């Protein structure tokens, strides 16, 4: 049901059962999937692609022009998967010529006042708590949770199943399965509670913990630790996921307990 006092461009592609509340603006070159609810006073700008059964709360701005001086008006998108909730006053910029799109996955929750800058990639089941601020080109893998008022430096990558404490400043990559806290941000153990809630066995949790003992607790530099892990620890999907993440990190990973590299 489209409210007559909403401002909807005639070229916007909106599924029949989408609800658009009063005083919202939907610009041209927008696609909104079935079952999605657009609350009042929402602005959805050119290039937005919103999936099925999403909820967008008042004050949100989706697919805004990137806050990047290199942007020259190229046609780009901001794409949101199915069943994702965008709470009050969230801002999501569309992409630039670098990637041409900003991506938000399915089954995500972006709480109030979150900002997602241009060319970010947020995968499925991610939670960004209130006032999380992502600079451009940030990647967040599946099932990560980022605590409120956290700020993330551009080009940082956050691994799958990570839990990050509120109020953090993230300048380096955060490898998968860990809990991160303190300032400067550092390793605070593995996210064992979250992993068990998602069906990881005790054996797998212990194997992940053993991998991180070599990376953070035995005084080795990261490349030496990876060599030992490859040679001495049994192969598993989780072990290889950690190795691949760290080996491919361009910014380097966060520090350990003592701030050692």
């Amino acid at each position: 049901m489209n409210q007559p006092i909403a401002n909807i461009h005639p070229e916007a592609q909106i599924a029949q059962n989408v609800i658009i509340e009063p005083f919202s603006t939907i610009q041209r070159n927008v696609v909104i999937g079935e079952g999605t609810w657009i609350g009042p006073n929402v602005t959805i700008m050119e290039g937005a692609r919103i999936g099925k059964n999403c909820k967008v709360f008042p004050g949100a701005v989706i697919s805004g022009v990137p806050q990047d001086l290199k942007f020259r008006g190229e046609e780009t998108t901001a794409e949101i998967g199915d069943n994702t909730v965008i709470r009050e006053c969230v801002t999501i910029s569309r992409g630039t010529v670098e990637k041409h799109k900003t991506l938000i996955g399915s089954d995500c929750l972006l709480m109030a006042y979150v900002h997602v800058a241009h060319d970010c990639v947020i995968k499925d089941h991610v939670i960004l708590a209130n006032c999380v601020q992502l600079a451009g080109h940030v990647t967040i893998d599946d099932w990560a949770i980022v605590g409120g008022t956290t700020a993330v430096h551009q080009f940082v990558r956050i691994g799958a199943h990570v839990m990050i404490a509120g109020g953090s400043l993230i300048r380096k990559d955060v490898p998968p399965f860990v809990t991160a806290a303190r300032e400067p941000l550092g390793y605070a153990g593995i996210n064992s509670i979250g992993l068990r809630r998602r069906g990881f066995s005790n054996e797998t949790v212990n194997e992940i913990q053993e991998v991180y003992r070599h990376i953070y607790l035995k005084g080795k530099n990261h490349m030496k630790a990876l060599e030992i892990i490859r040679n001495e620890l049994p192969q598993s999907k989780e072990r290889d996921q950690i190795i691949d993440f760290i080996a491919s990190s361009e910014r380097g990973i966060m520090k350990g307990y003592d701030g050692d590299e």
Side-chain angles (χ1 to χ4, degrees):
M1 179 181 67
N2 296 338
Q3 289 284 345
I5 49 178
N7 180 14
I8 304 172
H9 196 282
E11 295 180 15
Q13 300 178 41
I14 301 171
Q16 288 296 319
N17 59 348
V18 170
I19 296 175
I20 300 175
E21 302 286 6
F23 309 113
S24 286
T25 296
I26 315 293
Q27 295 185 348
R28 64 175 294 277
N29 189 22
V30 166
V31 178
I32 303 177
E34 297 177 358
T36 286
W37 175 77
I38 307 297
N41 296 295
V42 170
T43 302
I44 301 181
M45 305 182 75
E46 294 186 26
R49 305 287 185 266
I50 301 175
K52 299 177 182 179
N53 302 313
C54 294
K55 297 184 187 302
V56 184
F57 281 72
V61 179
I62 310 298
S63 198
V65 173
Q67 298 176 113
D68 185 335
L69 296 177
K70 299 186 296 299
F71 183 71
R72 292 292 182 267
E74 55 267 24
E75 187 169 322
T76 59
T77 59
E79 303 181 11
I80 299 170
D82 299 337
N83 308 306
T84 284
V85 176
I86 309 293
R87 292 303 304 252
E88 294 82 359
C89 300
V90 168
T91 54
I92 301 172
S93 299
R94 65 180 186 259
T96 68
V97 70
E98 178 75 21
K99 290 183 178 176
H100 295 284
K101 62 181 67 175
T102 300
L103 295 176
I104 312 290
S106 296
D107 300 291
C108 294
L109 170 59
L110 278 59
M111 297 186 191
Y113 297 98
V114 163
H115 174 65
V116 179
H118 59 89
D119 303 293
C120 287
V121 176
I122 297 174
K123 298 184 181 178
D124 298 338
H125 304 285
V126 169
I127 297 175
L128 304 181
N130 297 304
C131 300
V132 168
Q133 307 289 290
L134 305 184
H137 308 279
V138 168
T139 298
I140 303 180
D141 290 336
D142 296 340
W143 294 103
I145 299 175
V146 182
T149 71
T150 292
V152 186
H153 193 282
Q154 61 186 359
F155 294 101
V156 158
R157 183 178 178 192
I158 297 172
H161 298 279
V162 161
M163 168 70 79
I164 295 176
S168 296
L169 301 177
I170 306 179
R171 306 174 180 92
K172 298 284 189 178
D173 293 349
V174 182
F177 311 119
V178 304
T179 298
R182 298 183 301 275
E183 172 58 28
L185 191 73
Y187 175 73
I190 67 166
N191 184 18
S192 57
I193 293 175
L195 293 174
R196 290 189 174 98
R197 285 175 177 170
R198 293 168 203 140
F200 286 74
S201 68
N202 288 336
E203 180 182 5
T204 299
V205 170
N206 291 336
E207 289 172 354
I208 293 169
Q209 195 162 42
E210 183 62 23
V211 171
Y212 280 111
R213 286 193 186 101
H214 285 277
I215 293 168
Y216 281 122
L217 303 178
K218 295 196 174 184
K220 306 291 185 183
N221 67 59
H222 294 151
M223 292 303 104
K224 181 62 176 177
L226 292 185
E227 181 182 347
I228 294 170
I229 291 164
R230 287 191 187 99
N231 293 333
E232 298 183 9
L233 297 188
Q235 190 275 336
S236 70
K237 180 178 69 174
E238 291 77 20
R239 187 206 73 164
D240 292 347
Q241 187 174 345
I242 296 166
I243 290 172
D244 292 344
F245 185 101
I246 296 172
S248 63
S249 173
E250 296 181 0
R251 293 190 58 80
I253 65 171
M254 66 180 184
K255 298 178 183 295
Y257 283 112
D258 299 322
D260 57 329
E261 291 293 331

